[in-house]
Amino acid sequence: MELFYHPLSRYSQKVLIALYEKQAHFSPRITDFSDPQTRLHFQQAYHTEKLPLLKTATGELIPESSIIIEYLDRHVTNSAQLLPPEPERNLQVRLLDRIIDNDINNLLFKFERLTASNLSNTLDIKRIENQLLQQFARLDAHLSQHHWVCQDSFTLADCALIPCLSYSFNHLNLLDFDQLVRYWHQAQLRGAWMLVHQEVQLAQTTQHHGLRSIP
């Protein structure tokens, strides 16, 4: 398998966590659309300029982080499952994954874009920040009943949340959310995230002159 991704993209980080959790063999293909040749080459292989993208061993192209992880769960079976087989738990994991992607990660992308813009409106930034804090308050209450996002098992929903927290704890005041702080401490000790975080730090070091926001 080949994974086309950017290490500073949270959706890419989400898939990388899953790959390392699954101990899957893959070839990393770092893809930077700011390079015209890279962008053109990617367009020729896949018309939508969207990362991450998984190319399977049979040449099938699979987009969308959650769909990629579901593919991995079905085809890499000699490791822990990230989508539980029980229908009710599976549905809960999928629901929380969608909430984290749509209501947290996508809002974080808007927040990054606004805070990086010289023309941004302070009221707009504050509005999005308040929306994010509301989401994290709900998540904090949820985590009071769960070790990981969905009960005691590490799942797809955790793959989605951890990259969001990596950014959020550096840019938002989340220290009053005790359960979220507890969760973040244990997440940072997870081997899969350690590997992803090392790559993120390397990418930040090499691109320290004005990082562009990537969802």
Side-chain angles (χ1 to χ4, degrees):
M1 295 185 294
E2 297 177 75
L3 181 70
F4 297 87
Y5 72 102
H6 194 288
L8 299 183
S9 156
R10 282 186 294 274
Y11 285 121
S12 293
Q13 293 166 21
K14 173 181 171 180
V15 173
L16 285 171
I17 292 172
L19 283 161
Y20 292 137
E21 286 286 339
K22 302 290 290 182
Q23 300 181 30
H25 298 290
F26 72 102
S27 297
R29 301 286 184 250
I30 294 178
T31 306
D32 186 354
F33 289 150
S34 65
D35 177 60
Q37 281 193 320
T38 300
R39 181 184 290 268
L40 179 61
H41 180 73
F42 189 84
Q43 283 177 331
Q44 291 171 346
Y46 188 70
H47 65 279
T48 302
E49 296 175 16
K50 197 171 182 180
L51 298 173
L53 179 72
L54 184 73
K55 184 177 182 180
T56 71
T58 60
E60 183 181 3
L61 298 176
I62 302 177
E64 301 296 338
S65 59
S66 297
I67 302 301
I68 292 172
I69 293 173
E70 181 171 352
Y71 174 88
L72 293 173
D73 229 33
R74 289 184 179 181
H75 291 83
V76 184
T77 56
N78 59 343
S79 57
Q81 296 297 107
L82 297 173
L83 280 157
E86 304 87 0
E88 289 300 321
R89 286 199 62 222
N90 188 290
L91 184 63
Q92 183 190 36
V93 169
R94 289 175 177 276
L95 173 61
L96 286 163
D97 170 66
R98 301 321 307 135
I99 289 173
I100 292 166
D101 278 358
N102 293 325
D103 298 339
I104 295 179
N105 196 10
N106 290 347
L107 266 182
L108 284 174
F109 182 57
K110 292 180 181 178
F111 181 79
E112 288 174 279
R113 294 289 294 270
L114 283 172
T115 54
S117 172
N118 294 326
L119 302 176
S120 60
N121 187 311
T122 304
L123 290 177
D124 289 339
I125 293 174
K126 195 65 180 177
R127 175 179 54 80
I128 293 178
E129 183 178 351
N130 287 337
Q131 290 174 346
L132 284 165
L133 291 175
Q134 288 173 11
Q135 292 296 332
F136 283 125
R138 294 189 188 99
L139 193 56
D140 186 69
H142 173 82
L143 287 170
S144 67
Q145 304 296 322
H146 302 276
H147 183 67
W148 292 105
V149 174
C150 294
Q151 301 180 23
D152 293 330
S153 300
F154 192 93
T155 66
L156 163 67
D158 297 288
C159 296
L161 179 59
I162 292 172
C164 296
L165 293 183
S166 179
Y167 176 86
S168 298
F169 268 98
N170 288 324
H171 296 86
L172 299 170
N173 182 16
L174 303 182
L175 296 180
D176 290 336
F177 298 129
D178 293 341
Q179 293 302 319
L180 205 60
V181 170
R182 183 268 305 167
Y183 177 95
W184 178 228
H185 284 162
Q186 74 187 33
Q188 290 177 88
L189 298 176
R190 195 83 180 181
W193 171 247
M194 287 182 178
L195 291 171
V196 175
H197 185 54
Q198 288 173 6
E199 188 168 352
V200 170
Q201 289 182 308
L202 180 61
Q204 288 174 335
T205 299
T206 56
Q207 294 191 17
H208 66 280
H209 295 298
L211 294 177
R212 59 191 182 91
S213 56
I214 304 171

